[in-house]
Short mmCIF file of all heavy atoms in Angstrom, two decimals:
data_model
loop_
_atom_site.label_atom_id
_atom_site.label_comp_id
_atom_site.label_asym_id
_atom_site.label_seq_id
_atom_site.Cartn_x
_atom_site.Cartn_y
_atom_site.Cartn_z
N ASN A 73 19.10 -3.94 -10.85
CA ASN A 73 19.50 -4.56 -12.13
C ASN A 73 18.34 -5.40 -12.71
O ASN A 73 18.58 -6.49 -13.27
CB ASN A 73 20.76 -5.40 -11.93
CG ASN A 73 21.95 -4.54 -11.65
OD1 ASN A 73 22.11 -3.47 -12.25
ND2 ASN A 73 22.80 -5.02 -10.79
N LEU A 74 17.15 -4.89 -12.65
CA LEU A 74 16.01 -5.60 -13.20
C LEU A 74 15.24 -4.82 -14.24
O LEU A 74 14.06 -5.10 -14.47
CB LEU A 74 15.03 -5.93 -12.04
CG LEU A 74 15.59 -6.85 -10.93
CD1 LEU A 74 14.65 -6.85 -9.71
CD2 LEU A 74 15.78 -8.25 -11.49
N LEU A 75 15.90 -3.92 -14.86
CA LEU A 75 15.18 -3.05 -15.82
C LEU A 75 14.52 -3.80 -16.97
O LEU A 75 13.53 -3.37 -17.49
CB LEU A 75 16.17 -1.99 -16.40
CG LEU A 75 15.56 -0.79 -17.16
CD1 LEU A 75 14.54 -0.08 -16.31
CD2 LEU A 75 16.67 0.19 -17.58
N ASP A 76 15.08 -4.89 -17.35
CA ASP A 76 14.50 -5.71 -18.46
C ASP A 76 13.52 -6.75 -18.01
O ASP A 76 13.05 -7.55 -18.78
CB ASP A 76 15.62 -6.40 -19.23
CG ASP A 76 16.54 -5.41 -19.92
OD1 ASP A 76 16.02 -4.33 -20.35
OD2 ASP A 76 17.77 -5.64 -20.06
N SER A 77 13.08 -6.69 -16.76
CA SER A 77 12.19 -7.69 -16.18
C SER A 77 10.86 -7.62 -16.90
O SER A 77 10.30 -6.55 -17.18
CB SER A 77 11.99 -7.52 -14.73
OG SER A 77 11.01 -8.39 -14.22
N ASP A 78 10.26 -8.77 -17.13
CA ASP A 78 8.84 -8.87 -17.64
C ASP A 78 7.88 -9.22 -16.50
O ASP A 78 6.72 -9.51 -16.71
CB ASP A 78 8.76 -9.95 -18.74
CG ASP A 78 9.39 -9.45 -20.00
OD1 ASP A 78 9.35 -8.22 -20.29
OD2 ASP A 78 9.94 -10.33 -20.75
N GLN A 79 8.38 -9.14 -15.24
CA GLN A 79 7.53 -9.45 -14.13
C GLN A 79 7.72 -8.44 -12.99
O GLN A 79 7.94 -8.75 -11.85
CB GLN A 79 7.87 -10.83 -13.61
CG GLN A 79 7.54 -11.95 -14.54
CD GLN A 79 7.83 -13.31 -13.99
OE1 GLN A 79 8.66 -13.48 -13.11
NE2 GLN A 79 7.05 -14.27 -14.41
N ILE A 80 7.59 -7.13 -13.37
CA ILE A 80 7.86 -6.13 -12.37
C ILE A 80 6.88 -6.17 -11.21
O ILE A 80 7.20 -5.76 -10.10
CB ILE A 80 7.90 -4.70 -12.98
CG1 ILE A 80 6.58 -4.27 -13.51
CG2 ILE A 80 9.02 -4.59 -14.02
CD1 ILE A 80 6.51 -2.78 -13.94
N GLU A 81 5.65 -6.67 -11.46
CA GLU A 81 4.71 -6.80 -10.38
C GLU A 81 5.13 -7.79 -9.30
O GLU A 81 4.74 -7.75 -8.17
CB GLU A 81 3.28 -7.16 -10.91
CG GLU A 81 3.17 -8.56 -11.48
CD GLU A 81 3.63 -8.73 -12.93
OE1 GLU A 81 4.31 -7.84 -13.49
OE2 GLU A 81 3.32 -9.72 -13.54
N GLU A 82 6.05 -8.70 -9.72
CA GLU A 82 6.66 -9.65 -8.71
C GLU A 82 7.91 -9.13 -8.12
O GLU A 82 8.23 -9.37 -6.94
CB GLU A 82 6.92 -10.99 -9.40
CG GLU A 82 5.73 -11.71 -9.96
CD GLU A 82 4.69 -12.03 -8.80
OE1 GLU A 82 5.07 -12.41 -7.76
OE2 GLU A 82 3.50 -11.88 -9.11
N GLU A 83 8.64 -8.30 -8.86
CA GLU A 83 9.92 -7.77 -8.40
C GLU A 83 9.74 -6.64 -7.37
O GLU A 83 10.52 -6.49 -6.45
CB GLU A 83 10.74 -7.24 -9.60
CG GLU A 83 10.92 -8.19 -10.73
CD GLU A 83 11.83 -9.35 -10.39
OE1 GLU A 83 12.42 -9.44 -9.34
OE2 GLU A 83 11.99 -10.23 -11.29
N LEU A 84 8.67 -5.84 -7.60
CA LEU A 84 8.42 -4.68 -6.69
C LEU A 84 7.10 -4.95 -5.98
O LEU A 84 6.05 -5.21 -6.62
CB LEU A 84 8.33 -3.41 -7.54
CG LEU A 84 9.52 -3.05 -8.44
CD1 LEU A 84 9.28 -1.80 -9.18
CD2 LEU A 84 10.78 -2.96 -7.57
N LYS A 85 7.10 -4.84 -4.66
CA LYS A 85 5.92 -5.14 -3.93
C LYS A 85 4.94 -3.96 -3.85
O LYS A 85 3.81 -4.18 -3.43
CB LYS A 85 6.32 -5.60 -2.50
CG LYS A 85 6.85 -4.49 -1.65
CD LYS A 85 7.17 -4.93 -0.26
CE LYS A 85 7.72 -3.75 0.51
NZ LYS A 85 8.06 -4.10 1.82
N ASP A 86 5.37 -2.81 -4.24
CA ASP A 86 4.50 -1.62 -3.98
C ASP A 86 4.31 -0.74 -5.20
O ASP A 86 4.69 0.40 -5.29
CB ASP A 86 5.07 -0.78 -2.84
CG ASP A 86 6.48 -0.23 -3.13
OD1 ASP A 86 7.17 -0.76 -4.07
OD2 ASP A 86 6.87 0.70 -2.44
N LEU A 87 3.69 -1.31 -6.23
CA LEU A 87 3.34 -0.47 -7.41
C LEU A 87 2.19 0.48 -7.11
O LEU A 87 1.97 1.43 -7.79
CB LEU A 87 2.97 -1.38 -8.60
CG LEU A 87 4.17 -2.15 -9.17
CD1 LEU A 87 3.67 -3.14 -10.22
CD2 LEU A 87 5.24 -1.22 -9.73
N ALA A 88 1.46 0.21 -6.05
CA ALA A 88 0.36 1.11 -5.59
C ALA A 88 0.51 1.21 -4.06
O ALA A 88 1.08 0.32 -3.43
CB ALA A 88 -1.00 0.49 -5.94
N GLY A 89 0.02 2.32 -3.57
CA GLY A 89 0.12 2.51 -2.11
C GLY A 89 -0.99 3.40 -1.60
O GLY A 89 -1.57 4.24 -2.33
N VAL A 90 -1.29 3.15 -0.29
CA VAL A 90 -2.27 3.98 0.39
C VAL A 90 -1.62 4.45 1.66
O VAL A 90 -0.91 3.71 2.32
CB VAL A 90 -3.53 3.16 0.75
CG1 VAL A 90 -4.49 3.93 1.64
CG2 VAL A 90 -4.24 2.66 -0.46
N ARG A 91 -1.74 5.75 1.96
CA ARG A 91 -1.19 6.31 3.19
C ARG A 91 -2.33 6.79 4.03
O ARG A 91 -3.17 7.58 3.58
CB ARG A 91 -0.23 7.46 2.83
CG ARG A 91 0.32 8.17 4.06
CD ARG A 91 1.27 9.29 3.70
NE ARG A 91 2.45 8.72 3.10
CZ ARG A 91 3.03 9.16 2.01
NH1 ARG A 91 2.57 10.20 1.36
NH2 ARG A 91 4.12 8.56 1.55
N LEU A 92 -2.37 6.30 5.24
CA LEU A 92 -3.33 6.76 6.26
C LEU A 92 -2.54 7.54 7.28
O LEU A 92 -1.57 7.00 7.88
CB LEU A 92 -4.06 5.60 6.90
CG LEU A 92 -4.83 4.65 5.95
CD1 LEU A 92 -5.39 3.49 6.74
CD2 LEU A 92 -5.90 5.35 5.20
N ILE A 93 -2.97 8.77 7.53
CA ILE A 93 -2.28 9.63 8.51
C ILE A 93 -3.25 9.96 9.62
O ILE A 93 -4.37 10.44 9.41
CB ILE A 93 -1.83 10.95 7.80
CG1 ILE A 93 -0.96 10.65 6.62
CG2 ILE A 93 -1.13 11.85 8.82
CD1 ILE A 93 -0.73 11.86 5.70
N PHE A 94 -2.81 9.61 10.81
CA PHE A 94 -3.66 9.82 12.00
C PHE A 94 -3.21 11.06 12.78
O PHE A 94 -2.04 11.41 12.71
CB PHE A 94 -3.63 8.58 12.89
CG PHE A 94 -4.20 7.36 12.22
CD1 PHE A 94 -3.42 6.46 11.48
CD2 PHE A 94 -5.61 7.15 12.23
CE1 PHE A 94 -3.99 5.41 10.83
CE2 PHE A 94 -6.14 6.06 11.59
CZ PHE A 94 -5.34 5.22 10.87
N TYR A 95 -4.08 11.62 13.57
CA TYR A 95 -3.75 12.80 14.33
C TYR A 95 -2.72 12.54 15.39
O TYR A 95 -1.80 13.34 15.57
CB TYR A 95 -5.03 13.41 14.99
CG TYR A 95 -5.87 14.18 14.05
CD1 TYR A 95 -7.01 13.62 13.52
CD2 TYR A 95 -5.60 15.47 13.73
CE1 TYR A 95 -7.81 14.35 12.61
CE2 TYR A 95 -6.38 16.19 12.84
CZ TYR A 95 -7.45 15.64 12.30
OH TYR A 95 -8.24 16.34 11.43
N THR A 96 -2.81 11.42 16.08
CA THR A 96 -1.88 11.13 17.17
C THR A 96 -1.43 9.71 17.10
O THR A 96 -2.05 8.85 16.37
CB THR A 96 -2.56 11.33 18.52
OG1 THR A 96 -3.61 10.32 18.70
CG2 THR A 96 -3.16 12.73 18.69
N ASN A 97 -0.38 9.35 17.81
CA ASN A 97 0.07 7.96 17.93
C ASN A 97 -1.00 7.09 18.55
O ASN A 97 -1.18 5.94 18.20
CB ASN A 97 1.37 7.88 18.68
CG ASN A 97 2.53 8.17 17.85
OD1 ASN A 97 2.54 8.02 16.62
ND2 ASN A 97 3.63 8.59 18.49
#
Side-chain angles (χ1 to χ4, degrees):
N73 291 322
L74 296 169
L75 193 54
D76 294 328
S77 175
D78 285 329
Q79 295 183 331
I80 66 170
E81 69 278 14
E82 297 301 321
E83 307 292 356
L84 305 177
K85 68 178 180 180
D86 61 343
L87 292 173
V90 173
R91 177 178 291 135
L92 302 176
I93 304 167
F94 296 93
Y95 281 100
T96 67
N97 278 336

